[in-house]
Amino acid sequence: ALLNIVIGIYFYCNPKLIAQSLISLCRNSVVLKIYTSFLFLCGVSIFTAINVSLAVVAFSKLLIIFCTFLNLTILLYKRLYLLYKIALIVGISVFIQSISILYDFSKTLDLSVIKGNSGNINILAASLNIKIPFLVLGIIHFSNWKRILLILTLFLGVSIIFLTGSRATFLGLAMQLIFFLVFYFRIHTIKKDEFIKIGYVILPIIVSFVFSNTILAKHGDSDRYQSIGNRIGQ
């Protein structure tokens, strides 16, 4: 919320950053009009809610996401090259986060402590899962030390996702990989170099699967932490 306010003030002080063509595009967007109407109805419903405080919290979440979407749209409109820089920044943050979580786990070997600063193991898994596409984008685009860093980060991040045993996140991760492979081969011709790039993405995930299963076999003591295959089966 604070970040949206800061960015909004920045746009207000620098109105030239907002392209006129983008404003026209937003005005004619049916999807944007429908979602704006949805937000309006959500806001009105607060006055008739049984639990007003819960309604305000839920509405604020929707509003924050909507403002974030608008801010990102303005920032990235005709500047999609910035996505690669964002991917690297996200990769560095995931690397630091993963190292911190695995370090805490190594001290206790208690799988329930794998929640980082999220306060909840499922929220941690979801937050990492959201960042996986950025890691994949960076691995495909970059080379040298940046690619190596992102490959290592992908391994660490997916390992933690597997260790959380979050079934919904497993489903999300699988869908991301399927969509990525389908669209990647639709826009690229099938060559040796392309298969190598795909290997940079798939291999860390396979290794993380084996790595996580090994840890679960030694330290898992409940249905949630028995094995990844068991959770996928559920």
Side-chain angles (χ1 to χ4, degrees):
L2 291 174
L3 188 59
N4 280 323
I5 292 172
V6 171
I7 294 175
I9 294 173
Y10 180 72
F11 286 149
Y12 179 79
C13 297
N14 299 274
K16 292 182 179 180
L17 289 174
I18 305 176
Q20 291 299 318
S21 57
L22 177 60
I23 295 176
S24 301
L25 189 65
C26 290
R27 285 177 179 173
N28 298 324
S29 174
V30 176
V31 174
L32 196 60
K33 291 178 180 178
I34 292 173
Y35 195 80
T36 304
S37 302
F38 165 71
L39 281 178
F40 174 76
L41 292 175
C42 288
V44 172
S45 70
I46 293 176
F47 297 101
T48 59
I50 297 173
N51 190 331
V52 177
S53 61
L54 184 62
V56 170
V57 171
F59 179 71
S60 67
K61 291 179 179 179
L62 292 172
L63 195 60
I64 288 170
I65 292 172
F66 181 66
C67 291
T68 303
F69 167 75
L70 290 179
N71 286 331
L72 286 175
T73 301
I74 295 171
L75 287 171
L76 295 175
Y77 184 66
K78 294 185 178 180
R79 304 184 191 93
L80 286 178
Y81 59 88
L82 293 176
L83 277 174
Y84 300 117
K85 294 183 179 180
I86 293 174
L88 183 60
I89 293 171
V90 170
I92 293 172
S93 69
V94 174
F95 179 79
I96 295 172
Q97 182 183 18
S98 301
I99 291 295
S100 175
I101 292 171
L102 291 175
Y103 175 73
D104 291 338
F105 169 69
S106 67
K107 292 190 294 185
T108 62
L109 298 180
D110 182 3
L111 289 165
S112 63
V113 305
I114 302 180
K115 55 186 178 181
N117 61 353
S118 62
N120 182 288
I121 200 166
N122 290 314
I123 294 176
L124 170 66
S127 68
L128 286 174
N129 203 35
I130 290 171
K131 299 166 187 172
I132 296 300
F134 290 97
L135 301 181
V136 173
L137 178 66
I139 290 172
I140 296 299
H141 176 73
F142 292 115
S143 58
N144 303 327
W145 67 269
K146 294 178 182 178
R147 174 176 285 172
I148 294 173
L149 174 64
L150 292 173
I151 290 174
L152 178 59
T153 303
L154 180 64
F155 163 72
L156 295 173
V158 174
S159 294
I160 293 174
I161 289 175
F162 284 146
L163 289 174
T164 63
S166 174
R167 292 169 297 187
T169 310
F170 289 172
L171 180 61
L173 179 63
M175 290 176 65
Q176 289 183 74
L177 292 175
I178 292 172
F179 282 125
F180 163 68
L181 291 173
V182 170
F183 282 100
Y184 188 81
F185 283 118
R186 281 192 65 182
I187 62 178
H188 291 88
T189 55
I190 300 177
K191 296 180 180 179
K192 181 180 178 181
D193 292 342
E194 305 305 329
F195 276 107
I196 292 175
K197 288 183 178 180
I198 293 296
Y200 290 146
V201 174
I202 300 299
L203 186 59
I205 295 176
I206 295 174
V207 175
S208 64
F209 180 88
V210 176
F211 172 74
S212 304
N213 253 334
T214 303
I215 293 177
L216 291 173
K218 293 182 179 180
H219 304 289
D221 55 359
S222 66
D223 290 339
R224 184 185 185 102
Y225 302 117
Q226 281 183 351
S227 72
I228 301 171
N230 180 48
R231 293 296 284 178
I232 292 176
Q234 293 176 11

